[in-house]
Amino acid sequence: MSRIAQRFADLKREGRGALVTYLQAYDPDPATSLALLRGLPGAGADVIEVGVPFTDPMADGPSIQKAAIRALKAGATLSRVLAMVRDFRKGNDTTPIVLMGYYNPILAYGIERFCTDASCSGVDGLIIVDVPPEEADEVEPHARAQGLDLIRLVAPTTDEARLPRVLAATSGFVYYVSIAGITGTRSASSASLEAAVPRIRRHTDLPVCIGFGIRTPQQAAEAARLADGAVVGTALVDTLAASLDEDGQARPETVRQVLDQVRGLAEAIRAG
Amino acid sequence: MNKTVPLNSFRQGPDARGRFGQFGGRFVAETLMPLILEVEKAYEAAKRDPQFDAEWRRLLTHYVGRPSPLWYADRLTEHLRKDAAPGKGAKVYFKRDELNHTGAHKINAVLGQILLAKRMGKTRIIAETGAGQHGVATATACALFDLPCTVFMGATDVERQQPNVFRMKLLGAQVMPVTSGAATLKDAMNEALRYWVANVEDTYYCIGTVAGPHPYPAMVRDFQSVIGTEARAQMQEAEGRLPDALVAAIGGGSNAMGLFYPFLDDPEVQMFGVEAAGRGLHTEEHAASLEKGRPGVLHGNRMYLLQDADGQVQEAHSISAGLDYPGVGPEHSWLHELGRVQYVGATDDEALAAFQLCSKLEGIIPALEPAHALAYVIRQAPAMARDQILLMNLCGRGDKDIFTVARHLGVEM
Ligand SMILES: Cc1ncc(COP(=O)(O)O)c(C=O)c1O
């Protein structure tokens, strides 16, 4: 069983949803980023999304755009992100890692080589934001051959006719983008989430995680209750950014402040 | 009898997936995907509706002032013959799309798209702009059709194209300066796409060039093809034959596709797309995606792209805001690989020299974008025989650029 499937099976037995965290690799520097990555499972992250920095993140708001600029300035490349995952795997063999990013860095790396290297590095799944199912034929065979889950985004705009097609192309879990919009801008209402999750469940048995606009422990707990997990990204990136000094460098308290926030989110989810 | 496209036609793209060979496609986030498919469906239906075509053509005739004239640039031709070898020096013609209402070719595709947006029941329009010409054209059409309009424009471009910023505001549009990246056209397009994702219900994104997700590259090309279709007929009338070579500037590639497309299957017609070589192709500061880039994915399509070894997109540079883009439309990428069109470069300095020469010799102040095409004409015409014909797309007028040019020439205004 894959790490992702195992993790959601375990959580189901525990009777709670997953906390899925998103931080960008190399933000603000490789050492801090690796320290965060290593600290996340202990702070309560059940699944870790590692953002792959890109110059033109089409679906991201200002917070994650700025994170990408910091990360690229710190020397982030796709191969270095994979190296970071390998470092993480030396001390953790159970927490699923999902790379989230855009297509062009993968194309530049070479799709087949990337899928092989990602899998060997201990990556479990991929979210390639700008590759909808219609364009996935180049990636799918290589990802499948390497046992990488392709996690699809489902949006409020994904209509009934389209939903089965999107879900059929999904493995690992479904990422429900709770708002029509970019990351870090607004939050969905409870009512819209309550309607959306059953709509997806009618078409799939995969776990459903809700992301985009989840900032507070209460919102995370609610999303994890309604679905199988809550994804928190921009709120963590904002905490990280606020902890930096005037030159954009990490301070001694940067790692602790972000992980404290993760603990708060995890506690709320565990409390139901 | 059925009209069949010759098997080896260069005019059969894109395929059902929006691909020109390996280029094009629909590389957008899921949130946008349903809308992109809706635009495609609506455009396919509009294309087959004679009323849609009639309304667009009515606007082109009575509002834009089409057909634009074909002008034999006599003085320029003679000037270039002076230094040419005996028997050399092609006749130079201009397709004068700079005479269009709003001053460039952009209005051709804007009016088509705004009519489409209305058909789709969209009530708000957004656009990206570099030089401001597409922004002005969109703001103009939105004024005419009483639609609220928001134009995203890089802060750098807001600075260097002040006259167009003021025009857009006069026309009632909201101009949103974009500060991310190098704050130019690429970043404006990112921001427009982000805004669109958040406003899919009521908003139509009016793209200014032959790039973006399918169906935009094909749709904008179809509308702009009015340029080449007219030029073909006008050239037949003036010279009784087709031109030997076509020349057009390439930003995203819409004025060039518009001129080239109707001639693609005429093998005797050579074609040259002129990219901005900025401070020179040997430097890092240019916008020559085809000559210096490699295939990649940005803004919803696969195209030639200026990028580093890790697939991070690089900043383009050009004196011309309208050419300052690190990508180039998918159909050009394909024509480049097929070798049907030659893509060449012209530097900032060559464009500046051409800008001044055209003003003095022809009494036409060109935009800096077609000044790049003209720079190549200045190189190419003397190498061609006297009885050959070179047709250049003079796709925009230079009013918007006089401040930039004055600054480069050291003139205080
Ligand atoms: C006059 C003019 N020409 C050319 C361009 C470049 O665009 P394209 O290559 O799509 O024609 C622009 C863009 O702003 C323009 O204003």
Side-chain angles (χ1 to χ4, degrees), chain A residues 245-268:
Chain A
D245 68 18
E246 313 76 59
D247 302 322
Q249 305 296 314
R251 291 188 211 260
E253 59 270 30
T254 295
V255 172
R256 183 178 48 77
Q257 285 182 357
V258 175
L259 294 182
D260 280 350
Q261 188 180 7
V262 172
R263 264 184 280 277
L265 293 161
E267 276 164 24

Side-chain angles (χ1 to χ4, degrees), chain A residues 56-57 135 138 157 162, chain B residues 19 26 30 186 190 302:
Chain A
D56 295 84
E135 300 290 356
E138 295 170 334
T157 51
R162 191 173 159 72
Chain B
R19 301 279 184 107
R26 290 177 284 228
E30 176 58 27
K186 166 183 82 110
N190 283 334
R302 191 193 304 255

Side-chain angles (χ1 to χ4, degrees), chain B residues 136-160:
Chain B
V136 167
T138 307
T140 298
C142 286
L144 185 65
F145 286 96
D146 193 21
L147 289 165
C149 173
T150 303
V151 179
F152 295 87
M153 186 171 191
T156 305
D157 293 338
V158 168
E159 205 48 53
R160 61 178 164 173

Side-chain angles (χ1 to χ4, degrees), chain B residues 73-74 114 170 197 213 262:
Chain B
D74 192 3
I114 299 301
L170 276 178
V197 170

Side-chain angles (χ1 to χ4, degrees), chain A residues 101 159 168 174 272:
Chain A
D159 54 37
V174 178

